[in-house]
């Protein structure tokens, strides 16, 4: 039950983060699709999605995706680590603070 609540809270904050990126809330709320959107947004190869299903590789790929996201919000690699290890905290920070998204 606690895991479900944490997942829903994380997805809610991802949706709010996507709104800051100029995307729809629902695009951030749908699991896997939200990562597809991030890969597309950052110009990364879409086959990275497959790597997200491979143990250990998934952690590396998530870190690389979140590092790019953190940089575009003006944060450093430490935020990417927080987003990888504790996504509900990292996405809450992005969603609730006044940081702004910068397209490259």
């Amino acid at each position: 039950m606690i895991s479900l609540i944490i997942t829903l809270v994380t997805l809610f904050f991802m949706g709010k983060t996507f709104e800051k990126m100029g995307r729809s809330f629902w695009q951030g709320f749908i699991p896997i699709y939200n990562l597809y959107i991030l890969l597309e947004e950052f110009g990364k190869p879409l086959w990275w999605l497959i790597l997200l299903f491979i143990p250990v590789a998934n952690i590396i790929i998530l870190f690389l995706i979140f590092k790019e996201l953190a940089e575009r919000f003006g944060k450093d690699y430490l935020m990417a680590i927080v987003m990888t290890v504790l996504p509900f905290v990292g996405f809450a920070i992005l969603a609730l603070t006044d940081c702004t998204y910068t397209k490259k």
Side-chain angles (χ1 to χ4, degrees), residues 6-73:
I6 289 172
T7 300
L8 291 175
V9 168
T10 302
L11 290 172
F12 174 79
F13 286 132
M14 282 186 85
K16 288 301 198 183
T17 302
F18 270 54
E19 284 181 340
K20 283 182 140 181
M21 294 170 56
R23 299 280 188 157
S24 299
F25 174 86
W26 69 268
Q27 289 179 316
F29 194 79
I30 298 175
I32 300 172
Y33 182 67
N34 55 20
L35 296 171
Y36 168 81
I37 293 295
L38 288 175
L39 289 173
E40 190 177 71
E41 178 83 16
F42 303 151
K44 303 296 182 194
L46 297 180
W47 57 266
W48 280 20
L49 274 176
I50 296 167
L51 296 176
L52 292 170
F53 295 97
I54 300 171
V56 181
N58 60 356
I59 296 169
I60 296 166
I61 295 300
L62 276 178
F63 174 76
L64 294 173
I65 293 169
F66 292 158
K67 182 177 173 285
E68 181 77 25
L69 183 63
E71 287 174 355
R72 293 196 183 197
F73 273 100

Side-chain angles (χ1 to χ4, degrees), residues 80-101:
I81 293 171
V82 170
M83 292 170 67
T84 304
V85 177
L86 298 170
F88 58 94
V89 173
F91 280 101
I93 291 170
L94 292 181
L96 300 176
T97 61
D98 62 348
C99 59
T100 56
Y101 181 77

